[in-house]
Amino acid sequence: MPYLIKGANVFTPKFLGKKDVLILEEKIAAIEDDLSQVSLPNLEVIEAKGLNLTPGFMDQHVHITGGGGEGGPETRCPELQISELILCGTTSVVGVLGTDGLSRTPSSVLAKSRALKREGISAWMHTSSYLLPPQTLTGSVKGDLYCVPEVLGVKIALGDHRSSFPTAEKLLEVLTDIRVSAMLAGKIGFLHIHLGDVPGAFNLLEEIVDRGFPIKHIRPMHVARKKWLLQDAIGFARKGGFIDVTSGGICDFSSPADAVEILFDEKVPPHLLTMSTDGHGSKPRFNENGELIGLRCGGVTGNLDIVRELIGRGHAPEKILPLVTSNVADALGLGGKGKISAGFDADICFFDTDCDGKLRSVFARGKQHLSEGKLLKKGTFEEL
């Protein structure tokens, strides 16, 4: 069904002002001051006067098949449901494995990413989990990146008590496989790195970069889990590397918004900053004595929560929105994503004024999933 959105305040994420937006099939067909003259069969007109229109959010680190499991099989987190994403404006995800690479495998992440796509959003994945040598779908990193369209990179962990502790030479072997196969497949290809709180990971990464390996293939995550780790990340970004703040997981600051503001204050190139939720990972709960008293499944609302918080602190929406839209699309090499632009996928959020208000409606790939806060579509095993 074609849609004509009338009179929205459009953020591309750059602010364009009041515009009309035409959606045909899965794409944004036109953005103009006035598209009232458009006449199409079954055209649905949406009056968006006073609402802010933004790109759908992109979350590049989600345990779509569930994380956890470190306390035994009963502590494995459940799979993600598409409605969780829609309710927080997320229209694109990248699935990852966590510590558990035994009961959950790259094959299950691939199946779930394809399921989410069939249910209406966009989904990709990283092969492997924490350890080296990598767990793969085809028997090799090169095969996964070249043969499987959904595979964007290879997940590992560094500086974590559950990780491998490879040498620079071993990492370079993996990075070379990633680079060569991605070149042949027309992808960027990168090492997607869970960072723990054991010092030394950035020293290893910077040694590799200083030896001449292209920094674009190295993607550290969770950089605000320790204050000293954030300082290491600042140095890495100043060399030209993307860094990612976890908006919904472990953070050594009162809020992940504090870490983002530090990165702004340190003049880190803003186009190199992204956020992701670490959704559906397990989150431990401790008592006042530091004793584990329970677990819960991490949500996927972190990106929306921190965007609202930062805008509420006075930052302009067009400064904050790229961290979960265009910057992520550029970092992942996903053309046609992350922006409100003609020819791009129609992934769209509607907010009350200032983008820190209520999320009103969501489109994913040209279809409306949320209207006035009400879900129109749910996953296969969810009931409306």
Side-chain angles (χ1 to χ4, degrees):
M1 175 184 290
Y3 294 90
L4 178 58
I5 300 164
K6 296 286 295 176
N9 299 316
V10 175
F11 290 82
T12 65
K14 181 181 178 180
F15 183 55
L16 289 187
K18 185 178 178 181
K19 301 288 180 181
D20 291 354
V21 179
L22 178 64
I23 298 172
L24 293 177
E25 301 296 337
E26 294 190 1
K27 304 293 184 181
I28 297 169
I31 306 170
E32 302 289 348
D33 291 339
D34 186 4
L35 291 169
S36 298
Q37 75 280 6
V38 172
S39 178
L40 293 167
N42 302 315
L43 179 68
E44 181 171 335
V45 178
I46 298 175
E47 295 291 343
K49 183 178 180 181
L51 296 181
N52 289 333
L53 186 152
T54 78
F57 290 3
M58 305 183 71
D59 194 342
Q60 65 171 326
H61 189 100
V62 187
H63 297 275
I64 58 177
T65 56
E70 295 176 39
E74 75 279 11
T75 67
R76 300 191 317 160
C77 294
E79 283 196 359
L80 176 81
Q81 296 296 333
I82 188 174
S83 63
E84 299 173 62
L85 299 170
I86 296 300
L87 286 170
C88 60
T90 298
T91 57
S92 299
V93 294
V94 181
V96 297
L97 289 173
T99 311
D100 181 5
L102 296 174
S103 69
R104 267 110 181 215
T105 67
S107 294
S108 61
V109 180
L110 177 61
K112 183 64 176 181
S113 67
R114 289 177 173 175
L116 289 169
K117 186 173 181 180
R118 289 176 69 115
E119 290 173 340
I121 67 164
S122 299
W124 295 267
M125 66 172 287
H126 301 304
T127 197
S128 199
S129 54
Y130 270 22
L131 304 178
L132 292 177
Q135 300 168 269
T136 61
L137 294 156
T138 64
S140 72
V141 164
K142 288 182 178 179
D144 283 12
L145 275 159
Y146 184 74
C147 297
V148 185
E150 291 87 353
V151 174
L152 300 179
V154 177
K155 163 81 180 287
I156 67 164
L158 292 177
D160 190 289
H161 65 94
R162 301 158 294 182
S163 71
S164 297
F165 287 86
T167 63
E169 299 299 329
K170 179 58 67 174
L171 273 186
L172 278 166
E173 288 181 19
V174 178
L175 280 162
T176 300
D177 283 349
I178 291 170
R179 178 171 169 79
V180 172
S181 54
M183 289 170 62
L184 296 173
K187 303 174 181 178
I188 294 178
F190 43 82
L191 196 65
H192 182 90
I193 304 166
H194 161 104
L195 290 174
D197 53 13
V198 178
F202 271 113
N203 292 337
L204 182 63
L205 299 178
E206 292 193 1
E207 176 187 343
I208 290 169
V209 172
D210 289 344
R211 289 170 64 175
F213 195 88
I215 199 169
K216 70 177 183 178
H217 299 292
I218 303 171
R219 302 299 173 81
M221 315 298 289
H222 314 320
V223 301
R225 71 182 304 145
K226 291 292 182 182
K227 291 183 174 67
W228 57 261
L229 191 61
L230 189 69
Q231 291 303 311
D232 288 349
I234 289 169
F236 183 80
R238 285 177 174 158
K239 290 178 179 286
F242 280 95
I243 57 175
D244 189 270
V245 173
T246 303
S247 59
I250 296 173
C251 180
D252 203 19
F253 299 84
S254 297
S255 166
D258 298 335
V260 172
E261 289 187 324
I262 289 170
L263 295 172
F264 288 154
D265 291 342
E266 291 289 337
K267 308 300 186 206
V268 170
H271 70 281
L272 297 176
L273 305 181
T274 61
M275 293 195 303
S276 60
T277 67
D278 200 16
H280 272 248
S282 65
K283 299 185 75 171
R285 292 185 295 115
F286 300 95
N287 62 20
E288 62 276 9
N289 297 319
E291 299 166 329
L292 180 68
I293 59 173
L295 295 167
R296 63 184 178 89
C297 180
V300 293
T301 67
N303 283 352
L304 177 59
D305 295 340
I306 302 306
V307 164
R308 283 173 167 161
E309 183 175 348
L310 286 164
I311 293 173
R313 293 183 182 191
H315 296 281
E318 55 191 315
K319 180 180 181 181
I320 303 305
L321 288 170
L323 275 65
V324 294
T325 59
S326 57
N327 285 4
V328 183
D330 292 343
L332 298 176
L334 298 175
K337 287 289 186 182
K339 296 180 183 178
I340 303 297
S341 183
F344 277 56
D345 283 359
D347 300 330
I348 298 172
C349 294
F350 298 77
F351 289 92
D352 286 337
T353 55
D354 298 326
C355 300
D356 61 347
K358 180 182 178 182
L359 177 63
R360 301 282 290 274
S361 298
V362 175
F363 280 75
R365 290 167 43 210
K367 292 183 172 59
Q368 191 167 16
H369 287 250
L370 187 75
S371 176
E372 295 300 324
K374 181 180 178 181
L375 283 165
L376 304 180
K377 301 174 184 291
K378 285 192 174 183
T380 304
F381 293 99
E382 298 181 282
E383 293 184 6
L384 280 171

